[in-house]
Amino acid sequence: MKIHSEVSQQEGMRLRKNTSQQGFMLAAIVNSSDDAIVSKDLNGIVTSWNRSAQKMFGYLAEEMIGQPILKLIPPDRKHEEVEILAKLRKGGHVDHFETKRVTKSGTIIDVSLTISPVRNGRGKIIGLSKIARDITEKKLEQQRKNDFVAMVSHELKTPLTSIKSYIQLLLRQAKKTEDHYGTNALSKVDEQVKKMTTMIRDFLDLSRLEEGKMPLNKSQFSVQQFMDEIVSEAKILLAEHNIRYNSCNDAILNADRDKLQQVMANLLSNAAKYSSKGSTITVLCEQVRQKVKFSVIDEGIGIDTEDQKRLFERFYRVGGEQTKNISGFGIGLYLCSEILRLHNSIITVESLPGSGSTFSFSMDIVDNNL
Ligand code: ADP
């Protein structure tokens, strides 16, 4: 009996030693981390504050421990804390969330936060741990790139507009004098200029979106007229494909017409780009209760399930043999989904590799009886 209790005493001491060693090790890791590591209780009161937190936010541990974390949150972002707490109380975890925080000197910094619940031995959430990384420099770099892209795109627009008008002028003249060679060549140039204009517009839109500055210019318009225009334009631009379309029932939409046209044009040009010449592209426009559902269906290469999940990300392009010679920047679908998101709509894709793809979205019909 005695031997047994001595053994368990020794075992207990060993365990305690191990646990305290682990504790020291963890503390050393936390202290030497380049990221700010902070813990707080469920009332948002700071309970620990590492050296990098001190460097990042300017407060000493003595100044922060026991103080509300709200001290670091800019006034216009106070709601974040409530939302995060609600999510974590349900057992969730907030990963790489980009936001802004305010330092002791009042400077606003960009941070990426990872927040996890801290549980006691019985699994009950007793607090939260926050890992913050200063991404101010990264954000500035992004901003510089954005400004550059916006400036270049803007500068390219002016000469392109002038090229476009001269082509129109020459084209008219070539047609008048029945110069078939000239007409043909100028039509091709015109097509390429249109492509370039679209690319430049997409780049400008991309930088506007990044800045959160893409205003919608909404108006009410007839969906039937809108779709008829889109399809007749597509029939000219995508002449090597067979466009199938049965006019849609009329309804009134309240949307940014130009942006919606941009979405449709993008889906149609993708349908042609990723399918073989001579195949059919079907455009559907169906009324489902108080909504109009638009679909663009192709018989092209299709997209596998893994790529479908990432298709609407900025710069995402599907790799592989079939797509390697097809040019593009991977921003078209990102812009479509963002434009639709601004209209409270969601773009969806259904696809089977080798059989084709269907891109769809719905828009609310304006209730004329209101
Ligand atoms: P881009 O066509 O310029 O690369 P998008 O953002 O329009 O950029 O499309 C992203 C990617 O999605 C494309 O690179 C392509 O791999 C895939 N994709 C888009 N539309 C289709 C389609 N209709 N069929 C097959 N793949 C498509």
Side-chain angles (χ1 to χ4, degrees):
M1 231 21 220
K2 188 160 180 274
I3 295 171
H4 181 256
S5 79
E6 265 174 17
V7 170
S8 53
Q9 249 179 5
Q10 274 174 4
E11 183 67 4
M13 270 166 63
R14 199 176 60 79
L15 272 175
R16 272 196 296 280
K17 201 171 152 203
N18 265 353
T19 317
S20 72
Q21 262 175 358
Q22 272 174 5
F24 282 132
M25 207 142 83
L26 269 178
I29 293 171
V30 167
N31 254 330
S32 61
S33 164
D34 280 339
D35 292 332
I37 304 180
V38 174
S39 61
K40 58 183 184 180
D41 65 18
L42 286 178
N43 296 318
I45 301 296
V46 175
T47 49
S48 78
W49 187 256
N50 78 341
R51 229 176 275 164
S52 285
Q54 184 176 320
K55 221 161 94 192
M56 202 176 291
F57 299 107
Y59 291 103
L60 297 171
E62 302 87 272
E63 290 175 286
M64 277 311 286
I65 293 176
Q67 292 295 312
I69 195 88
L70 281 177
K71 257 171 112 164
L72 305 177
I73 306 182
D76 59 332
R77 291 184 184 253
K78 300 266 189 224
H79 62 277
E80 278 177 8
E81 191 62 13
V82 183
E83 288 161 15
I84 292 169
L85 266 174
K87 189 165 176 192
L88 292 166
R89 277 203 178 105
K90 285 187 205 145
H93 148 124
V94 180
D95 207 10
H96 299 306
F97 152 64
E98 291 192 359
T99 182
K100 291 184 187 293
R101 289 294 176 256
V102 58
T103 67
K104 188 178 176 181
S105 64
T107 312
I108 300 283
I109 56 170
D110 287 287
V111 290
S112 161
L113 294 180
T114 298
I115 309 173
S116 317
V118 176
R119 297 172 193 274
N120 67 10
R122 277 169 280 128
K124 189 169 173 253
I125 299 175
I126 50 165
L128 306 172
S129 79
K130 266 192 192 192
I131 302 181
R133 177 163 295 179
D134 187 347
I135 53 164
T136 311
E137 212 19 70
K138 188 180 122 193
K139 282 274 167 189
L140 280 175
E141 186 57 37
Q142 257 175 19
Q143 174 80 36
R144 282 193 283 266
K145 264 193 224 154
N146 254 344
D147 291 350
F148 178 73
V149 171
M151 187 190 72
V152 172
S153 316
H154 191 75
E155 290 301 315
L156 286 173
K157 253 172 70 175
T158 325
L160 209 61
T161 313
S162 143
I163 293 174
K164 217 155 109 186
S165 0
Y166 279 113
I167 292 171
Q168 292 302 329
L169 218 80
L170 289 170
L171 201 56
R172 226 174 295 147
Q173 215 154 17
K175 277 182 185 160
K176 220 196 270 167
T177 56
E178 295 189 8
D179 171 2
H180 299 303
Y181 179 77
T183 309
N184 197 16
L186 285 165
S187 305
K188 293 228 160 76
V189 179
D190 192 37
E191 227 172 79
Q192 295 306 316
V193 168
K194 271 193 188 134
K195 274 193 188 161
M196 228 160 126
T197 314
T198 311
M199 272 186 235
I200 290 171
R201 186 207 50 206
D202 282 358
F203 279 122
L204 267 173
D205 279 352
L206 186 70
S207 55
R208 281 190 195 121
L209 261 176
E210 303 284 286
E211 307 260 302
K213 284 186 207 145
M214 193 198 257
L216 291 185
N217 189 5
K218 285 192 180 181
S219 64
Q220 297 199 354
F221 57 89
S222 140
V223 69
Q224 196 178 54
Q225 246 174 32
F226 169 76
M227 285 305 287
D228 289 352
E229 262 172 49
I230 299 268
V231 174
S232 38
E233 171 104 343
K235 281 187 174 159
I236 301 169
L237 287 176
L238 316 173
E240 284 165 332
H241 285 77
N242 191 6
I243 312 272
R244 192 192 293 159
Y245 167 67
N246 293 327
S247 186
C248 54
N249 286 339
D250 207 9
I252 301 293
L253 297 185
N254 181 28
D256 186 322
R257 200 177 194 277
D258 288 347
K259 298 241 160 26
L260 209 59
Q261 190 248 340
Q262 193 176 331
V263 171
M264 286 305 294
N266 215 308
L267 297 181
L268 280 158
S269 87
N270 275 352
K273 209 159 107 177
Y274 299 101
S275 66
S276 38
K277 289 177 187 165
S279 63
T280 298
I281 298 171
T282 308
V283 184
L284 295 180
C285 167
E286 310 154 284
Q287 275 195 27
V288 187
R289 285 182 290 277
Q290 273 306 93
K291 285 182 186 288
V292 182
K293 183 179 177 193
F294 300 89
S295 307
V296 176
I297 307 162
D298 66 57
E299 302 172 340
I301 58 174
I303 307 149
D304 70 31
T305 329
E306 280 314 299
D307 288 315
Q308 284 176 33
K309 288 184 200 148
R310 305 197 50 197
L311 224 49
F312 304 104
E313 288 175 17
R314 204 169 47 131
F315 304 129
Y316 190 76
R317 303 203 71 216
V318 177
E321 272 307 302
Q322 282 180 301
T323 49
K324 76 171 189 217
N325 294 321
I326 306 178
S327 66
F329 295 105
I331 55 175
L333 285 182
Y334 168 72
L335 287 176
C336 288
S337 74
E338 286 298 299
I339 290 173
L340 292 173
R341 189 179 58 78
L342 293 173
H343 281 93
N344 295 322
S345 176
I346 295 172
I347 187 164
T348 58
V349 58
E350 281 169 52
S351 184
L352 206 63
S355 303
S357 312
T358 301
F359 286 86
S360 313
F361 64 91
S362 296
M363 297 289 295
D364 286 329
I365 292 174
V366 175
D367 194 343
N368 285 325
N369 299 323
L370 284 181

